[in-house]
Amino acid sequence: MGQASSGVALPKVVLLSRNPNLFLQKHPEFSDHEWLSLHDGDILDSASLPVGERFTHILHAATASTLGPELSPRERFQQIHDGTRNVLDLAISSGAKRFLLTSSGAIYGPQPNNKESLAEDSAIHLSVNSADNAYGVGKLAAEHLCALYASEFGLETIVARCFAFMGPDLPLDAHFAIGNFVRDAIWADEIVVRGDGLPIRTYLDQDDLAHWLLKLLEEGRPGEAYNVGSDKVESIANLAHLVRDLIAPHKPVRILGNADSSQARNRYVPDISKARSELGLDVTISLAQSIRRSAQ
C-alpha cells in the first residue's frame, strides 16, 4: 500500500503501457509516486503482462480507440477479443476477485431515431456479417468472454458500456467531432462541421468517467453491464456552436451540409438510469465546464 501525503492509504496500482517512457513524458505528474508503478507490456503479448504479481482488482480499458480507425477490421477485432482473453487469464493467475471491462455502446447497433435512449436490455443488435462492425462485435465478444470466465472461475466480472466523453485528455486531432471543434476554435479561422450536423450525441466529462469506472469496479453487481455516459443530448451542429460561443465567439461555424458517412449513428444516447438507481452515479460536470477545461 502506498501512503499519500495527506495520510490517506492508497492501493498499489500497476499501469500497463506499451511505452511507459513516452507516457511519463506526456504526463510527468505520474512520476515518483510510491503507489504507482508502470509495466512495459502489450495485451496482445501475454508473456509481456505482469504475470506472477498478485492483484485484487483489474480494470481492462486497453483498446486503441484513437488509433482504431488505422487498423483493419480483423486487427480491431483481434485486439479487442484476444487482448481481453489475455487480461482475463492474467486476472485468474493473479488471484484477482473483480474485473471491470470497458465495453462500448457500439454493441447495441444503430439506434432508431424514434428511440430516445438505449437501455442495457435493449433488443438492438449489430449484424455480425459486416466487417464494418468489427469494433462493436469485438466488444460484444469480449463481454461474452467475461461471462465465460465468471462461470468457469468465479471471477466477478462487470461491464461498463462506454459512450462518448470529453475532457482535457481528449485528442484534438483524431476522429472525435468535439475535439476537432475545440481545435478549430483555438487555432483555425472557422469551426467546420464535416457532415450535416444532425446526429445526436451526449458527452460525459473525463473526471465523471473516472469516478464511474472506479465505482463500478468496486461496487458494480457481478455479471451486470452498465451504460456509462451522459444523457444530456446535443446535435453535432449545436455542439459546434456551443464550442464557438465558449471559446471563440468571433469565429464562424461552417456546416458542409452533406451527411457524413463516417457518422453511421444518427443518435447515440445511453439510458443511465441503472447506474443512477443502483450506484448513485450521475452527471456532475456540465458539458460547458468540460469544454472550457479542455480549451484551457
Side-chain angles (χ1 to χ4, degrees):
M1 300 287 284
Q3 191 73 17
S5 59
S6 63
V8 178
L10 297 174
K12 179 184 177 183
V13 175
V14 176
L15 175 64
L16 180 72
S17 172
R18 287 169 297 194
N19 192 332
N21 291 330
L22 179 61
F23 173 80
L24 289 175
Q25 288 175 17
K26 293 182 177 179
H27 303 281
E29 66 272 21
F30 289 106
S31 300
D32 302 322
H33 290 295
E34 291 184 2
W35 56 270
L36 176 66
S37 61
L38 270 67
H39 182 91
D40 188 344
D42 188 323
I43 58 170
L44 289 178
D45 179 5
S46 59
S48 74
L49 301 181
V51 178
E53 294 205 40
R54 304 295 290 177
F55 301 106
T56 59
H57 297 67
I58 291 182
L59 195 167
H60 173 36
T63 303
S65 58
T66 301
L67 300 178
E70 299 177 11
L71 303 175
S72 71
R74 180 186 58 80
E75 289 171 332
R76 295 197 83 182
F77 182 89
Q78 180 182 26
Q79 182 194 63
I80 296 167
H81 179 274
D82 294 0
T84 299
R85 183 191 60 210
N86 288 339
V87 180
L88 282 164
D89 284 338
L90 174 66
I92 300 306
S93 67
S94 70
K97 299 300 182 185
R98 290 177 67 83
F99 183 99
L100 177 65
L101 170 72
T102 58
S103 182
S104 171
I107 66 103
Y108 293 115
Q111 180 178 348
N113 288 330
N114 62 356
K115 190 173 182 64
E116 290 190 3
S117 60
L118 293 166
E120 289 83 355
D121 59 355
S122 293
I124 301 171
H125 302 290
L126 281 168
S127 168
V128 298
N129 297 321
S130 172
D132 291 340
N133 292 336
Y135 178 79
V137 173
K139 287 292 190 181
L140 193 58
E143 290 191 18
H144 188 57
L145 278 173
C146 288
L148 295 176
Y149 275 70
S151 174
E152 184 170 349
F153 299 104
L155 181 66
E156 295 183 1
T157 60
I158 305 96
V159 171
R161 289 179 181 157
C162 299
F163 279 70
F165 306 96
M166 180 55 178
D169 293 312
L170 182 76
L172 304 184
D173 56 354
H175 58 286
F176 306 115
I178 192 168
N180 295 166
F181 297 158
V182 171
R183 176 201 62 204
D184 289 351
I186 297 173
W187 290 298
D189 294 329
E190 59 184 5
I191 298 167
V192 178
V193 178
R194 299 293 174 187
D196 55 17
L198 296 180
I200 300 297
R201 296 290 183 271
T202 70
Y203 295 90
L204 185 71
D205 185 84
Q206 67 180 47
D207 286 0
D208 275 341
L209 169 63
H211 173 64
W212 282 47
L213 293 181
L214 286 174
K215 189 78 168 179
L216 287 170
L217 180 62
E218 295 172 354
E219 300 179 24
R221 276 194 294 142
E224 292 292 323
Y226 296 83
N227 287 336
V228 175
S230 171
D231 55 358
K232 316 298 183 186
V233 300
E234 289 284 354
S235 71
I236 293 295
N238 287 345
L239 181 65
H241 284 90
L242 177 61
V243 170
R244 187 274 310 276
D245 294 344
L246 292 171
I247 302 175
H250 59 288
K251 292 186 178 180
V253 172
R254 183 158 66 97
I255 299 176
L256 297 184
N258 298 318
D260 187 350
S261 60
S262 69
Q263 297 285 348
R265 296 172 177 273
N266 288 329
R267 190 174 183 89
Y268 192 49
V269 179
D271 179 342
I272 57 174
S273 57
K274 183 175 180 179
R276 277 195 176 113
S277 62
E278 290 192 14
L279 299 170
L281 293 168
D282 212 337
V283 180
T284 68
I285 301 171
S286 71
L287 179 56
Q289 286 176 286
S290 191
I291 291 169
R292 290 191 186 98
R293 290 174 59 229
S294 299
Q296 289 168 357

